[in-house]
Amino acid sequence: MNDVRLSGQLVCRDDAEVQLVKRLLAQHITLTRSESGCAAFDVVQTSDPLVWQVDELFVDEVSFRAHQERAARSEWGIATRAVERRFSIEGLSE
């Protein structure tokens, strides 16, 4: 199996979305890093305060997809659903 890498940006529309991300991000990072198969997970605010750089590495597609499902159902996933995501993903079989 191949590892899966996600890289890109989380782009907030306004300060309200920035504050939402800031409020929920630490827990999201902690939960994600504790998942089986998570090799690296970093989300860092860029010099543009509305933009966050996101880099993820999972050991395989199964782990990556499990993360995506868990995150979508989490407080983070539900609350930040409207925040724009500009991601590219490498290593998926499809």
Side-chain angles (χ1 to χ4, degrees):
M1 288 193 175
N2 295 329
D3 59 8
V4 176
R5 294 176 185 271
L6 178 147
S7 184
Q9 297 177 327
L10 189 65
V11 182
C12 297
R13 288 181 295 223
D14 53 30
D15 189 57
E17 283 190 350
V18 169
Q19 295 308 313
L20 178 66
V21 169
K22 285 182 175 182
R23 182 172 60 83
L24 298 174
L25 185 57
Q27 180 184 31
H28 178 56
I29 291 171
T30 298
L31 291 172
T32 299
R33 288 180 178 168
S34 70
E35 292 175 5
S36 175
C38 179
F41 186 82
D42 295 298
V43 182
V44 179
Q45 195 171 26
T46 68
S47 59
D48 180 339
L50 297 176
V51 179
W52 305 77
Q53 178 62 36
V54 180
D55 293 291
E56 304 178 8
L57 175 62
F58 287 83
V59 298
D60 58 26
E61 187 171 345
V62 171
S63 298
F64 176 76
R65 292 198 185 277
H67 162 68
Q68 292 289 300
E69 290 175 17
R70 185 212 49 86
R73 293 186 315 266
S74 71
E75 180 181 13
W76 164 267
I78 294 166
T80 66
R81 186 174 291 139
V83 177
E84 181 182 355
R85 286 151 167 85
R86 298 177 187 165
F87 296 153
S88 63
I89 303 171
E90 297 176 3
L92 295 178
S93 61
E94 299 173 8

